[in-house]
Amino acid sequence: MYPHPSRRTALKAGGALAAGTLPGLATGTAEASPSGHHDPWRQVPRILARIRPPTFRRRFFDITDYGAVGDGVTKNTAAVRAAISACHRAGGGHVVVPAGRFVTGAIHLRSHVDLHVSEGGVLAFSPDPADFLPAVPTRWEGTECYNYSPFVYAYGQRDVGVTGRGMLDGQARLGPWESWHRTSGLQGPDQKLLRQMGTDGVPVRDRVFGAGHHLRPKMVQFYRCRDVLVSDLTIVDPPMWTVHPVLSTNVTVRNVTVESTLYNTDGCDPEASSHVHITGCRFNTNDDCVAVKSGRDEDGLRVGVPSENIVVQDCDFSGRWGGITVGSEMSGGVRNVFAEDCRINPPDFPGHYPVKYPLYVKASKKRGSRIEGVYVRRFTGRAVEREVAFVTMNYNNGEGGTRPVSVRDIHLSEMRIDGARAVLNLVGLETDRLSGVHLSHCTFSGVRGPDAVAFTDDLTFHKVTVNGVEVS
């Protein structure tokens, strides 16, 4: 039985923002270099030095030794779980999925265990929702609840990994998941109910979904974990968000390829997590590629944990919405997101959809809170569908909220993008202005229209050219 997540003191609407801080979210994001100029990138080496992937004992537990059969038909949930339990009891090591196609239900990882999917090995997840019960504690679109288990799941564990050159196949097209989401069909009423529970402060233990409900599970979720590694895998056909660390720290996601083309299937969503390194990954998604989140509305404010010190490097982005996205679930706050050396719509990695926005920041007065310090540099790419950067504090027309919201310190440098509707779409609010958007040493070509800027202070350009003309 999983314990109930602890409840924290509710934040009064706008109270923390009025004081200028949020729990765990300090003010000020840049530091001075010896020349006197602020260089936030000086923080990155120190952040990366604190992110250390877990290592595992050289003990190997082959799932076929526990009865697994890789015929693509036999259901192997019990065998996989037995191997994980044996590995954990022995002090840790590698649970090995050999070559073959192994069908399974929910996989629950334990501390010190690496689930290693060998080259030629496939974990194919059952299309039957019953294979992901009983319901477990999770966060669903930023609100805590009990729901269907994520396909690969760890709760409160330490030193856990999912690695190998094999594949995780969500087989979501074979299950009911897409039909639950399409046009908000069956999922809509449950989604509305959960959000209302979060608004009303219903105890998490009473927010029970799962059987008889229609909230899709995540593919891989680490919930309240530390020292996490996801490495080298190909992950295809998830039912919802693909890799989702929540309330976790010291997380490495490296050399992972995501093919997620059903509705609302983000690539990687670090949520209310700190010290996260996403590197060498390729994202072909039907939503955001990397989306940094921290909880939704009243429930996100109740938990009050920000995402901070996130570093994204050397990734390929082909996704329907944002390359690097912050929000829209950001009520716990976001600080210090760094992304560099990524490629937008690369010709050698053609996706199903072109990226709409290489940088997409989404906030609103319903969510409240603060986004402080988003730094993007050395992105190259082509054929951006809309703007290079869309930063909005009025997401979904503000969603009817009244909380103070702050977005500040957005930096783009050394960008080389060919083809976009415009460079900037900046949407501040008359009551809550966007502050500190800085572009430097950027070259944009094939730009079809002008920027749109509203209620924005301290917007600067330094050595920026658009269609061959320097912008002042």
Side-chain angles (χ1 to χ4, degrees), residues 271-314:
E271 181 169 4
S273 293
S274 65
H275 292 88
V276 178
H277 189 200
I278 303 166
T279 182
C281 296
R282 304 200 305 169
F283 297 99
N284 175 16
T285 71
N286 192 354
D287 211 306
D288 298 318
C289 295
V290 173
V292 180
K293 301 176 181 292
S294 63
R296 183 186 185 96
D297 304 343
E298 291 82 0
D299 203 58
L301 290 166
R302 174 187 65 83
V303 176
V305 176
S307 273
E308 56 186 340
N309 299 329
I310 314 292
V311 179
V312 183
Q313 297 174 314
D314 189 29

Side-chain angles (χ1 to χ4, degrees), residues 337-385:
V337 177
F338 296 89
E340 62 180 348
D341 299 313
C342 295
R343 294 158 294 281
I344 303 296
N345 302 323
D348 61 341
F349 183 59
H352 286 73
Y353 305 98
V355 170
K356 284 184 172 63
Y357 314 106
L359 174 63
Y360 188 13
V361 178
K362 303 179 267 188
S364 74
K365 291 182 73 65
K366 172 67 171 171
R367 310 292 163 92
S369 196
R370 177 190 297 264
I371 295 170
E372 187 173 273
V374 180
Y375 308 100
V376 179
R377 70 178 180 181
R378 296 197 300 265
F379 275 30
T380 58
R382 63 190 183 95
V384 170
E385 186 174 311

Side-chain angles (χ1 to χ4, degrees), residues 220-455:
V220 179
Q221 185 181 79
F222 299 92
Y223 192 50
R224 298 180 182 268
C225 294
R226 63 178 302 135
D227 309 332
V228 172
L229 174 63
V230 183
S231 178
D232 300 311
L233 296 158
T234 297
I235 307 176
V236 303
D237 213 13
M240 197 180 169
W241 300 348
T242 307
V243 179
H244 187 207
V246 186
L247 293 161
S248 295
T249 187
N250 189 27
V251 177
T252 300
V253 181
R254 70 185 182 203
N255 302 329
V256 171
T257 297
V258 172
E259 297 273 355
S260 58
T261 56
L262 298 184
Y263 291 104
N264 191 214
T265 49
D266 293 355
C268 184
D269 297 70
E271 181 169 4
S273 293
S274 65
H275 292 88
V276 178
H277 189 200
I278 303 166
T279 182
C281 296
R282 304 200 305 169
F283 297 99
N284 175 16
T285 71
N286 192 354
D287 211 306
D288 298 318
C289 295
V290 173
V292 180
K293 301 176 181 292
S294 63
R296 183 186 185 96
D297 304 343
E298 291 82 0
D299 203 58
L301 290 166
R302 174 187 65 83
V303 176
V305 176
S307 273
E308 56 186 340
N309 299 329
I310 314 292
V311 179
V312 183
Q313 297 174 314
D314 189 29
C315 292
D316 291 331
F317 295 141
S318 293
R320 191 170 192 171
W321 289 96
I324 295 295
T325 297
V326 178
S328 63
E329 298 85 359
M330 42 64 70
S331 297
V334 175
R335 176 178 181 254
N336 282 358
V337 177
F338 296 89
E340 62 180 348
D341 299 313
C342 295
R343 294 158 294 281
I344 303 296
N345 302 323
D348 61 341
F349 183 59
H352 286 73
Y353 305 98
V355 170
K356 284 184 172 63
Y357 314 106
L359 174 63
Y360 188 13
V361 178
K362 303 179 267 188
S364 74
K365 291 182 73 65
K366 172 67 171 171
R367 310 292 163 92
S369 196
R370 177 190 297 264
I371 295 170
E372 187 173 273
V374 180
Y375 308 100
V376 179
R377 70 178 180 181
R378 296 197 300 265
F379 275 30
T380 58
R382 63 190 183 95
V384 170
E385 186 174 311
R386 297 185 185 174
E387 294 84 29
V388 174
F390 181 23
V391 181
T392 178
M393 299 171 69
N394 195 37
Y395 182 69
N396 281 351
N397 294 317
E399 303 176 306
T402 59
R403 293 187 178 87
V405 59
S406 173
V407 179
R408 61 189 298 263
D409 292 336
I410 310 294
H411 295 244
L412 285 77
S413 61
E414 301 175 77
M415 306 283 282
R416 301 290 183 271
I417 302 293
D418 179 26
R421 185 168 69 183
V423 175
L424 297 177
N425 186 1
L426 306 180
V427 184
L429 301 173
E430 187 172 10
T431 56
D432 307 77
R433 298 177 71 90
L434 173 61
S435 177
V437 179
H438 307 291
L439 284 74
S440 65
H441 298 89
C442 295
T443 300
F444 304 108
S445 56
V447 177
R448 301 184 296 276
D451 294 344
V453 179
F455 301 115

Side-chain angles (χ1 to χ4, degrees), residues 46-328:
R46 289 200 295 275
I47 294 170
L48 293 178
R50 295 184 62 184
I51 302 173
R52 298 187 178 183
T55 58
F56 303 93
R57 293 188 177 187
R58 290 188 59 80
R59 291 186 176 129
F60 302 93
F61 300 79
D62 191 310
I63 63 172
T64 60
D65 293 338
Y66 296 84
V69 179
D71 59 3
V73 177
T74 303
K75 200 169 288 185
N76 297 289
T77 310
V80 176
R81 290 186 175 184
I84 290 171
S85 294
C87 181
H88 175 71
R89 288 196 304 269
H94 305 270
V95 170
V96 177
V97 179
R101 188 174 183 85
F102 296 87
V103 178
T104 182
I107 294 173
H108 291 184
L109 296 177
R110 305 287 298 278
S111 291
H112 315 299
V113 173
D114 166 41
L115 177 64
H116 185 83
V117 187
S118 304
E119 189 168 6
V122 179
L123 279 174
F125 291 89
S126 167
D128 184 355
D131 289 322
F132 303 94
L133 293 172
V136 300
T138 185
R139 215 178 197 186
W140 199 90
E141 287 192 341
T143 303
E144 293 190 318
C145 66
Y146 283 73
N147 192 37
Y148 289 103
S149 173
F151 289 5
V152 178
Y153 176 72
Y155 180 93
Q157 305 299 306
R158 182 169 188 167
D159 296 322
V160 286
V162 190
T163 69
R165 297 188 180 279
M167 176 182 290
L168 303 181
D169 185 352
Q171 299 199 116
R173 295 179 189 279
L174 301 182
W177 318 112
E178 188 173 23
S179 69
W180 290 5
H181 176 272
R182 190 183 293 115
T183 64
S184 291
L186 294 169
Q187 177 181 281
D190 283 330
Q191 181 184 53
K192 183 178 180 180
L193 174 61
L194 176 59
R195 290 178 182 175
Q196 191 61 49
M197 287 177 164
T199 295
D200 294 342
V202 173
V204 175
R205 64 177 176 271
D206 297 329
R207 306 176 195 175
V208 181
F209 292 81
H213 295 273
H214 302 92
L215 299 181
R216 295 162 298 139
K218 312 298 170 59
M219 183 77 174
V220 179
Q221 185 181 79
F222 299 92
Y223 192 50
R224 298 180 182 268
C225 294
R226 63 178 302 135
D227 309 332
V228 172
L229 174 63
V230 183
S231 178
D232 300 311
L233 296 158
T234 297
I235 307 176
V236 303
D237 213 13
M240 197 180 169
W241 300 348
T242 307
V243 179
H244 187 207
V246 186
L247 293 161
S248 295
T249 187
N250 189 27
V251 177
T252 300
V253 181
R254 70 185 182 203
N255 302 329
V256 171
T257 297
V258 172
E259 297 273 355
S260 58
T261 56
L262 298 184
Y263 291 104
N264 191 214
T265 49
D266 293 355
C268 184
D269 297 70
E271 181 169 4
S273 293
S274 65
H275 292 88
V276 178
H277 189 200
I278 303 166
T279 182
C281 296
R282 304 200 305 169
F283 297 99
N284 175 16
T285 71
N286 192 354
D287 211 306
D288 298 318
C289 295
V290 173
V292 180
K293 301 176 181 292
S294 63
R296 183 186 185 96
D297 304 343
E298 291 82 0
D299 203 58
L301 290 166
R302 174 187 65 83
V303 176
V305 176
S307 273
E308 56 186 340
N309 299 329
I310 314 292
V311 179
V312 183
Q313 297 174 314
D314 189 29
C315 292
D316 291 331
F317 295 141
S318 293
R320 191 170 192 171
W321 289 96
I324 295 295
T325 297
V326 178
S328 63

